Amino acid sequence: MTATSHITPGAEAPAPVPPLRRNRDFRMLWVGAGASLLGTRVAVAAYPLMILWGGGTPADAALVAFATLLPQLLFVLPAGALVDRWNRRRAMLICDAVGFSGMASLVVALLFGEVWLPHVMLVAFLDGTAVIVYRLAERASVRHVVHPTHLGAALSQNEARGQSTGLIGQPAGTALYSLSRWLPFAFATVTHLVAFMTLLTVRRDLQDERVKPRRMLTAEIAEGFAWVWRHRFMRSAILLVGGSNLAFQVINLTLVLIIREGGHPPYMVGLLGLLGGLGGLLGALGAARVMRRVPVQAILIGVLGLWAVLIALVAVTTLPAGLGALMGGMAALGALLNVAAATYQIRVTPDVMQGRVTSVFALIGSGLNSVGALLGGVLLSAAGTSRAALITAAGMAVLALLALCVPSIRRPPVE
């Protein structure tokens, strides 16, 4: 008996799913979001150069950095709720228009030699706000332009894109500024225009039809928190990831101090960042393959355990090359966990709540970063680099044991 004998007469065999590389809408969305993100990172790298080499003070540069980061604290939760309300395509187009206008205004100011600190702060604040809304809307849109079987691969490519722009953005911004003060911001202007134009070519709808009536914004934000809290696996996983992010703030500062205490030149810190970026890129590119073989709960437990081992090795490593290898390994594991968590979250979250749930993840997952930086300073002052690394490794090992013991993590989550 042949395989074709099982097909019901008159029924058509399901059409094969084209490979992701032939998905035009995903390519356009991916390219546009990548261009926008790269332009923003180039501009962020150039802000302190423009201020400090333009006659400003370190306090002025700190104000611009504050204006850049403030939207992450103020708007990530409201942005998630608004992304669930608004038309996602229109929201992203407006974000690109805001970024384009702001960067173009800086180019004009620099060409005429009229740089005004409040103007720079305003552009940094508006662009930072637009980036938050854009990234939430774009992430929620991916499931609408790819086949469900391609979601993991698509998010793996998105993570690789983020790692690549982080790797390129800093040196590109510095190099462009060295050629001319206005070039980094002109580059960012062009990338926002590219993102705007590519988004216009995406044909598919980027959201389901909205049928529920709008309520108060605070009620919708609270609904996002409540949804995550009721989902036991998500609730436990995000708390564990938040704790690991706190630990990495300590380790980042520890690595810098080890380089300084070893008498190595400052550019070695940049080498650590480069190797970390390469590790993150490799981890993102390999994530889809790992996810086909390993369930998400095993990835979470395994990554936490391997992080504990790598952080412990930091305590006994002094050579920059060895520290860079450890940094690359930790970044690769982080990229894998990011892709696995994002894929699971998008699959199980209703489309109407994608923005809010993602914003809750962003707030809890990264909300402890400032506390971690403060803790790192206190711990390193009291214990030194080696002991601080060992204490941090012990804390990460505790997180891994908790993940192994908590039933909501150990058991396969419900999709």
Side-chain angles (χ1 to χ4, degrees):
M1 182 179 291
T2 64
T4 55
S5 64
H6 294 284
I7 300 176
T8 304
E12 295 184 2
V17 180
L20 186 61
R21 65 178 181 275
R22 290 172 53 190
N23 186 327
R24 178 186 171 278
D25 282 345
F26 174 69
R27 289 203 316 269
M28 292 297 99
L29 187 64
W30 190 90
V31 169
S36 177
L37 181 57
L38 178 59
T40 295
R41 289 188 168 172
V42 165
V44 169
Y47 283 144
L49 306 179
M50 175 180 61
I51 297 298
L52 296 175
W53 271 262
T57 67
D60 294 336
L63 285 173
V64 174
F66 173 75
T68 304
L69 296 172
L70 185 59
Q72 181 69 29
L73 178 64
L74 295 181
F75 298 132
V76 66
L77 287 178
L82 292 172
V83 162
D84 287 338
R85 283 186 178 188
W86 294 340
N87 180 286
R88 290 173 185 158
R89 186 196 308 270
R90 188 179 302 127
M92 287 189 282
L93 289 171
I94 292 172
C95 289
D96 281 323
V98 169
F100 174 88
S101 303
M103 295 301 162
S105 71
L106 286 181
V107 172
V108 172
L110 287 165
L111 287 174
F112 284 92
E114 296 293 338
V115 178
W116 189 38
L117 180 62
H119 174 209
V120 179
M121 291 177 63
L122 178 62
V123 171
F125 180 82
L126 292 177
D127 192 58
T129 303
V131 165
I132 291 171
V133 176
Y134 189 102
R135 293 183 69 178
L136 289 172
E138 190 250 348
R139 176 164 159 170
S141 301
V142 171
R143 65 187 291 182
H144 293 274
V145 297
V146 302
H147 191 271
T149 59
H150 290 160
L151 182 59
L155 293 174
S156 178
Q157 292 188 26
N158 282 4
E159 179 70 17
R161 178 190 64 195
Q163 296 287 345
S164 299
T165 56
L167 195 63
I168 297 170
Q170 179 73 37
T174 303
L176 289 171
Y177 187 86
S178 300
L179 295 174
S180 183
R181 294 179 66 198
W182 55 270
L183 269 180
F185 307 102
F187 178 85
T189 302
V190 172
T191 58
H192 282 300
L193 180 60
V194 169
F196 188 94
M197 299 304 295
T198 54
L199 187 57
L200 289 176
T201 67
V202 176
R203 298 175 182 144
R204 301 182 208 184
D205 290 334
L206 302 182
Q207 64 198 63
D208 293 338
E209 183 180 357
R210 299 291 184 253
V211 294
K212 293 179 66 176
R214 294 182 179 180
R215 294 167 295 155
M216 291 184 60
L217 192 64
T218 53
E220 294 187 356
I221 292 172
E223 188 179 21
F225 270 104
W227 196 91
V228 173
W229 185 257
R230 288 195 302 270
H231 196 293
R232 294 181 179 179
F233 176 78
M234 278 194 183
R235 179 180 68 202
S236 302
I238 193 58
L239 292 174
L240 290 169
V241 171
S244 70
N245 285 344
L246 184 151
F248 272 109
Q249 296 305 309
V250 179
I251 288 302
N252 289 338
L253 185 55
T254 301
L255 290 169
V256 174
L257 285 178
I258 292 175
I259 292 293
R260 192 193 69 178
E261 291 174 357
H264 302 292
Y267 69 79
M268 285 297 180
V269 177
L271 177 63
L272 294 185
L274 177 64
L275 293 174
L278 290 174
L281 179 59
L282 292 175
L285 292 174
R289 183 173 299 177
V290 174
M291 289 162 53
R292 286 195 291 267
R293 295 168 173 81
V294 184
V296 63
Q297 72 272 19
I299 291 176
L300 175 59
I301 296 169
V303 166
L304 290 172
L306 289 172
W307 271 341
V309 174
L310 294 177
I311 292 172
L313 291 175
V314 170
V316 296
T317 305
T318 56
L319 293 177
L323 293 171
L326 294 174
M327 184 96 170
M330 288 185 280
L333 292 169
L336 168 62
L337 183 57
N338 285 344
V339 175
T343 303
Y344 177 78
Q345 180 254 304
I346 289 177
R347 280 177 176 162
V348 303
T349 305
D351 184 70
V352 72
M353 296 191 66
Q354 285 286 339
R356 281 169 286 175
V357 171
T358 302
S359 68
V360 171
F361 268 55
L363 181 67
I364 298 176
S366 302
L368 294 176
N369 284 353
S370 58
V371 178
L374 180 61
L375 176 62
V378 174
L379 185 58
L380 286 163
S381 299
T385 54
S386 295
R387 288 183 180 178
L390 290 174
I391 292 171
T392 307
M396 192 69 77
V398 170
L399 292 177
L401 288 173
L402 285 174
L404 190 61
C405 296
V406 173
S408 59
I409 296 292
R410 190 176 65 253
R411 297 170 186 166
V414 179
E415 296 211 11

